[in-house]
């Protein structure tokens, strides 16, 4: 019976982690370039149940062996295995702002932060001090030649990410867009930024078919579907309540057992 408490509590913990991920997704439904998180759970290893005292143990030249037949398996609960980020493409929103950009395809903008280079899908940029193209948080956007400086907000970005001045069509720079060998393992850093990990590998500049197309005057919306998230929230609440009732039933049975044992004494 005590095992039932632990199994139920592990299920409650797993559902709580799912609920936290869903709540965070709903909170960022309007965040530009946000990618939803999915809590993935896995079951603990099952144990084999054997009939005790059935033919017992027999000895061999190398030791002994148990001949008790297997009568079934018993699970030991679940645990949260990982928080998986879904990088599915979001839809595009027309802003008519020259400084806004969206990536159609896989890849990440590169920005310079005090802690080094970070990566984002949020193309909601602006022209800051000294003409530097930067994020809303003030981090400079990087081109392949360094920090991008534009003379004004009236510039042109083609599908390959080449930035030109509007007046004389002079090339300013090419926006640095990178890819990773294992993008799903990027670490979220807040403010729509990601950082590389040991599993993702080093970033490399996207070229050819791996390079996404640039859409100037658009931003990428989050890939969170409100209806799906609300349905999953209902499922989580019901699963949490089911585990809670299982623990209550186990507690009631254990209380009855202790009462009868004390009475028989």
């Amino acid at each position: 019976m005590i095992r039932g408490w632990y199994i139920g509590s592990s299920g409650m913990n797993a559902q709580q982690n799912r609920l936290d991920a869903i709540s965070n997704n709903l909170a960022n439904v309007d965040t530009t370039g946000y990618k939803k998180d999915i809590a993935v759970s896995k079951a603990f290893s099952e144990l084999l149940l054997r009939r005790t005292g059935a033919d017992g143990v027999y000895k061999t030249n190398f030791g002994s062996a148990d001949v008790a037949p297997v009568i079934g398996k018993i699970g030991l609960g679940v645990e949260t295995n990982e928080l998986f980020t879904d990088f599915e493409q979001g839809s595009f929103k027309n802003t008519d702002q020259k400084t806004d950009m969206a990536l159609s395809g896989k890849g990440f903008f590169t920005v310079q932060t005090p802690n080094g280079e970070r990566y984002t899908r949020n193309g909601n940029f602006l022209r800051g001090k000294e003409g530097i193209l930067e994020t809303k948080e003030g981090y400079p956007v990087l081109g392949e030649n360094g920090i991008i400086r534009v003379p004004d907000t009236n510039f042109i970005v083609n599908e390959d990410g080449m930035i030109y001045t509007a007046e004389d069509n002079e090339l300013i720079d090419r926006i640095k867009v990178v890819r990773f060998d294992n993008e799903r393992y990027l670490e979220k850093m807040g403010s729509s930024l990601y950082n590389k990990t040991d599993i993702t590998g080093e970033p490399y500049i996207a070229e050819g078919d791996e390079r996404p197309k640039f859409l100037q005057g658009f931003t990428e919306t989050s890939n969170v579907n409100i209806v799906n998230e609300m349905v999953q929230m209902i499922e989580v609440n019901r699963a949490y309540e089911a585990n809670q009732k299982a623990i209550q039933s186990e507690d009631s049975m254990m209380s009855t057992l202790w009462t009868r044992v004390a009475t028989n004494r």
Side-chain angles (χ1 to χ4, degrees):
M1 291 185 183
I2 295 178
R3 185 186 296 114
W5 291 344
Y6 290 107
I7 294 175
S9 64
S10 70
M12 293 174 69
N13 288 331
Q15 297 305 323
Q16 181 63 56
N17 292 333
R18 284 189 63 195
L19 183 61
D20 291 342
I22 293 172
S23 300
N24 187 56
N25 291 339
L26 291 174
N28 288 279
V29 68
D30 292 324
T31 301
T32 303
Y34 176 80
K35 301 303 178 185
K36 65 181 178 181
D37 291 327
I38 302 174
V40 181
S41 301
K42 72 173 183 178
F44 290 116
S45 300
E46 294 182 333
L47 294 180
L48 293 177
L49 295 181
R50 294 179 180 273
R51 185 180 301 141
T52 58
D55 298 332
V57 177
Y58 67 91
K59 294 184 178 181
T60 67
N61 294 332
F62 305 100
S64 62
D66 187 1
V67 295
V70 175
I71 59 176
K73 297 180 180 180
I74 184 170
L76 297 178
V78 298
E79 66 172 344
T80 300
N81 189 31
E82 68 170 318
L83 196 62
F84 168 70
T85 301
D86 183 3
F87 285 102
E88 182 184 0
Q89 178 84 57
S91 58
F92 299 115
K93 179 181 178 181
N94 189 357
T95 65
D96 290 327
Q97 297 291 327
K98 295 290 187 179
T99 54
D100 286 340
M101 305 173 204
L103 298 177
S104 178
K106 296 182 178 180
F108 298 86
F109 296 106
T110 307
V111 299
Q112 184 67 49
T113 72
N115 298 318
E117 291 187 2
R118 295 294 184 266
Y119 314 97
T120 183
R121 292 283 300 188
N122 188 344
N124 188 204
F125 303 137
L126 52 84
R127 182 176 181 270
K129 296 180 179 179
E130 301 179 358
I132 296 176
L133 189 66
E134 57 188 32
T135 66
K136 294 293 185 181
E137 293 76 24
Y139 300 135
V141 181
L142 296 181
E144 296 182 1
N145 296 318
I147 295 175
I148 299 174
R149 287 181 169 84
V150 291
D152 50 45
T153 57
N154 191 26
F155 57 87
I156 300 172
V157 180
N158 66 11
E159 290 186 350
D160 193 48
M162 308 287 284
I163 304 178
Y164 298 91
T165 59
E167 294 183 359
D168 51 11
N169 203 35
E170 180 183 354
L171 177 63
I172 298 175
D173 202 345
R174 186 183 188 223
I175 299 175
K176 183 178 180 181
V177 173
V178 299
R179 294 286 305 275
F180 297 85
D181 292 332
N182 295 294
E183 295 173 347
R184 62 164 291 186
Y185 295 106
L186 286 170
E187 179 184 6
K188 283 189 174 182
M189 306 300 296
S191 300
S192 300
L193 299 179
Y194 298 90
N195 190 19
K196 64 182 180 180
T197 63
D198 293 337
I199 306 178
T200 61
E202 292 296 320
Y204 60 90
I205 297 177
E207 298 287 0
D209 294 337
E210 287 191 319
R211 189 170 180 84
K213 292 183 179 180
F214 286 75
L215 301 176
Q216 187 178 19
F218 290 82
T219 56
E220 181 185 2
T221 62
S222 69
N223 63 354
V224 177
N225 186 305
I226 298 179
V227 176
N228 290 341
E229 296 298 316
M230 293 299 296
V231 170
Q232 290 183 35
M233 181 176 288
I234 295 173
E235 293 176 353
V236 167
N237 287 329
R238 289 179 177 175
Y240 189 92
E241 291 175 357
N243 283 283
Q244 190 177 36
K245 290 180 180 179
I247 292 178
Q248 291 174 348
S249 298
E250 292 282 346
D251 183 65
S252 178
M253 288 188 293
M254 184 63 74
S255 177
T256 302
L257 175 63
W258 288 339
T259 301
R260 291 184 177 180
V261 169
T263 302
N264 291 334
R265 287 186 178 182

